[in-house]
Amino acid sequence: MTALLAPSILAADFARLGEQVTLTEQAGADRIHVDVMDGHFVPNLSIGPAIVKSLRPVTKLPIECHLMIEDPDRYIKAFADAGADTILVHVEVCKHLDQTIRAIRALGKKAGVVLNPATPALLTSEILAEVSLVLIMTVNPGFGGQEFLASTLPKIRAMRDLIDRVNPGVELEVDGGIDASTAPKAVEAGATVLVAGSAIFRHPGGVAAGMDALRTAR
Ligand code: DX5
Ligand code: ZN
């Protein structure tokens, strides 16, 4: 199976966001990845539900919201109402992960869990039956344009094994430093969805060239 591509709009030109999303869709993107940051869980600030609401009519692609925020329960409904198809929460901030995942699914949305580089794969074992997706951070979250941490490759493999044993339908996504050279390593380790920001929106040849390079490499 070929890995899916999820452009991360964090690296886009926000003044031309709709247009840039359309370019990725025309170039074969499979979903749009939206990075939500609160300045607490991660040092950076980024995007809120209003942007998701504006993007919703611009694209037919599913929109996934990666919540890098403390207390994600407070904002799940706002992102669901804004048009998110999938909501991803970090296990590091969810005191009652089972309840949070159920709340996302009760709103009719797909739910996913995210692991920081130092968080073990096994922390997802009791929730795997309830989620559609596991996202492994391949950089420490907060900023685009960071270097891929090769130290996460064994964890991607461990997660692949766990998913295959417990709930083979779960997608395994990677996020951070994914480009034409790191994408094949992540795929070889078992990733099925590739998030990429800089490699797509900051490609010297433009968005379509960035998409092409990743498509060929994956
Ligand atoms: C990082 C974000 C990523 C980021 C990836 O905290 O979760 O989605 O946009 O950016 P690149 O692909 O530039 O590493
Ligand atoms: Zn992300």
Side-chain angles (χ1 to χ4, degrees):
M1 202 192 79
T2 319
L4 304 178
L5 296 181
S8 163
I9 61 167
L10 190 64
D13 176 354
F14 285 177
R16 299 188 297 128
L17 189 53
E19 196 183 303
Q20 296 226 303
V21 164
T22 301
L23 285 176
T24 67
E25 185 168 3
Q26 287 167 347
D30 296 289
R31 64 185 65 168
I32 299 299
H33 183 90
V34 176
D35 287 307
V36 178
M37 303 179 180
D38 67 351
H40 293 277
F41 177 59
V42 292
N44 203 0
L45 289 163
S46 62
I47 290 164
I51 307 285
V52 175
K53 194 175 177 196
S54 298
L55 277 182
R56 184 62 286 173
V58 170
T59 178
K60 290 192 184 66
L61 296 175
I63 295 177
E64 64 180 19
C65 292
H66 172 193
L67 305 189
M68 284 163 273
I69 62 179
E70 277 171 14
D71 202 3
D73 301 78
R74 282 177 62 193
Y75 295 97
I76 285 166
K77 188 166 186 309
F79 282 99
D81 289 349
D85 298 281
T86 305
I87 297 179
L88 310 177
V89 294
H90 272 260
V91 303
E92 297 86 3
V93 294
C94 292
K95 291 190 186 116
H96 302 286
L97 184 59
D98 182 74
Q99 277 177 16
T100 302
I101 295 300
R102 281 173 201 278
I104 296 169
R105 296 182 62 192
L107 291 164
K109 306 300 179 180
K110 289 185 178 173
V113 286
V114 192
L115 300 172
N116 277 339
T119 307
L122 212 51
L123 276 191
T124 63
S125 63
E126 307 305 319
I127 200 72
L128 265 190
E130 308 294 330
V131 298
S132 303
L133 190 158
V134 173
L135 171 57
I136 293 187
M137 291 307 302
T138 43
V139 298
N140 285 290
F143 299 93
Q146 302 182 76
E147 194 179 334
F148 177 84
L149 296 171
S151 56
T152 60
L153 287 168
K155 184 166 70 176
I156 299 170
R157 288 193 194 99
M159 195 68 239
R160 176 79 269 149
D161 288 346
L162 190 58
I163 287 173
D164 288 349
R165 276 188 282 120
V166 178
N167 188 1
V170 170
E171 294 183 306
L172 178 49
E173 188 170 42
V174 288
D175 183 6
I178 300 295
D179 59 21
S181 73
T182 56
K185 296 177 191 169
V187 170
E188 190 273 326
T192 58
V193 188
L194 304 168
V195 177
S198 308
I200 294 172
F201 293 104
R202 307 273 166 95
H203 191 282
V207 170
M211 286 290 298
D212 262 2
L214 273 177
R215 218 193 341 253
T216 314
R218 71 187 160 178

